Amino acid sequence: MPQINVLIKPASSNCNLRCNYCFYHSIAENRETHSYGMMDNRTLELLVEKVFACAEYSCTFAFQGGEPTLIGLEFYEKLIEFQKKYNVKNLQIYNVLQTNGMLIDAAWARFLAEHNFLVGLSLDGPQDIHDYNRIGANHKGSFSRVMRTVQLLNNYRVEYNILCVVTANTARHVSKIYNFYKKNNFFYLQFIPCLDPLGEPHGGYNYSLTPEKYAIFLKRLFDEWYTDLSKGNKVSIRYFDNIVGLAMGLQPEACGMSGKCSFQFVVEADGGIYPCDFYVIDKWHIGNIKNLSFAELATSNIVKEFIEGSQYIEHNCKLCRWENFCRGGCRREREPLAKNLPALNYHCEAYREFFEYAGPRIYELARRYSGGRKISL
């Protein structure tokens, strides 16, 4: 296997916040075991050993939750110890931590900087917007604590980017959010449309993102981003970067934009393996790292079924002039299934409206970054 990327949930579904829109809470509610507790060091060591046994060239260890810092800093110190022990092929190692920032202190920041972790920090914008959904068990907002973490990451020169979940509320405040990020020198941004709970109809919650609201959000955000690029002010927005790359003929690096699912090697705290972060449920449990190799996991019938199930192209997609950009979108946005096949993307009209609006400028940027090479609609 040329490289292996694992997405690890060392604290399972456990979290110190109670964000209203948390998709992993609904995932945990849809399986027999809500939480698999905390990953022990033996499972971690076995996981690291097996990654290096199969990988070539490079490997990525990404940690998410729940909240992955709940397991404590000692767990990650053991990770580094095991990586040094088993990296006998001298592979390139990438470590990534997605966090709500609530537990990051000076010791954490020093460690993350020393070992070159890339940190994804969840921050939905200025205080009134962030605290609208990102609250603790005491129903108080988390903004002030997250901003202290920002200062620590800056002080210790930790590389980080910002993740914003797009809800009905955030979609109304595009300029306010974008300008807040710029004011704080956050120039690496990722905007993720929020998901309604797995298996439930769309639009049933006050945070639910409708296609109409998402279309407005995408258009306004693109205007802000494009204006900055035109002035020579580079802001990286992952989705827009990938769309321009598609217009240049490049392959997207973002999951959900390739037109079919891939196998993510999602590892729960007990060592259980699943194909995707959005589907860590009993139906898609592949096996356990304790008794299977990565080669065996990757070739399992469950993985084959999961990937093949995502390859169906809805009839309307085949007729759409923007199919090369959208490619049907993420499988999770194509739930619930229709006749056991992925349905039309819930945000289809939002994407169509956005591409019609921004398409000419997307291709103009593609021509600019391609050195003037002819690229057209």
Side-chain angles (χ1 to χ4, degrees), residues 28-47:
E29 291 289 332
N30 274 273
R31 62 194 189 196
E32 186 173 331
T33 302
H34 182 276
S35 171
Y36 291 99
M38 300 291 174
M39 182 176 286
D40 59 51
N41 287 341
R42 178 57 192 144
T43 302
L44 174 64
E45 181 173 10
L46 188 61
L47 171 61

Side-chain angles (χ1 to χ4, degrees), residues 60-176:
T60 299
F61 296 84
F63 296 88
Q64 291 188 5
E67 173 49 43
T69 60
L70 283 175
I71 200 168
L73 184 54
E74 291 182 1
F75 175 86
Y76 295 92
E77 292 171 337
K78 279 292 184 181
L79 168 74
I80 300 301
E81 177 185 320
F82 295 147
Q83 288 177 343
K84 291 178 180 178
K85 177 179 178 180
Y86 291 106
N87 189 14
V88 295
K89 293 181 282 188
N90 197 29
L91 306 183
Q92 179 69 52
I93 301 171
Y94 301 98
N95 288 314
V96 182
L97 177 73
Q98 179 64 46
T99 178
N100 60 29
M102 298 298 289
L103 296 178
I104 302 297
D105 58 13
W108 268 101
R110 189 182 304 113
F111 171 85
L112 295 169
E114 179 183 353
H115 297 288
N116 301 309
F117 271 70
L118 172 63
V119 173
L121 183 65
S122 295
L123 179 60
D124 284 354
Q127 185 164 9
D128 59 328
I129 297 172
H130 176 91
D131 284 350
Y132 191 83
N133 283 302
R134 299 193 65 80
I135 57 176
N138 59 2
H139 302 291
K140 293 183 179 180
S142 56
F143 177 84
S144 296
R145 183 63 184 83
V146 176
M147 291 305 291
R148 290 201 296 273
T149 291
V150 167
Q151 189 61 56
L152 282 167
L153 297 179
N154 288 336
N155 290 346
Y156 284 90
R157 298 183 180 181
V158 178
E159 184 179 358
Y160 67 96
N161 53 43
I162 299 296
L163 187 147
C164 174
V165 178
V166 185
T167 65
N169 186 49
T170 54
R172 292 193 291 265
H173 302 287
V174 177
S175 294
K176 184 176 181 179

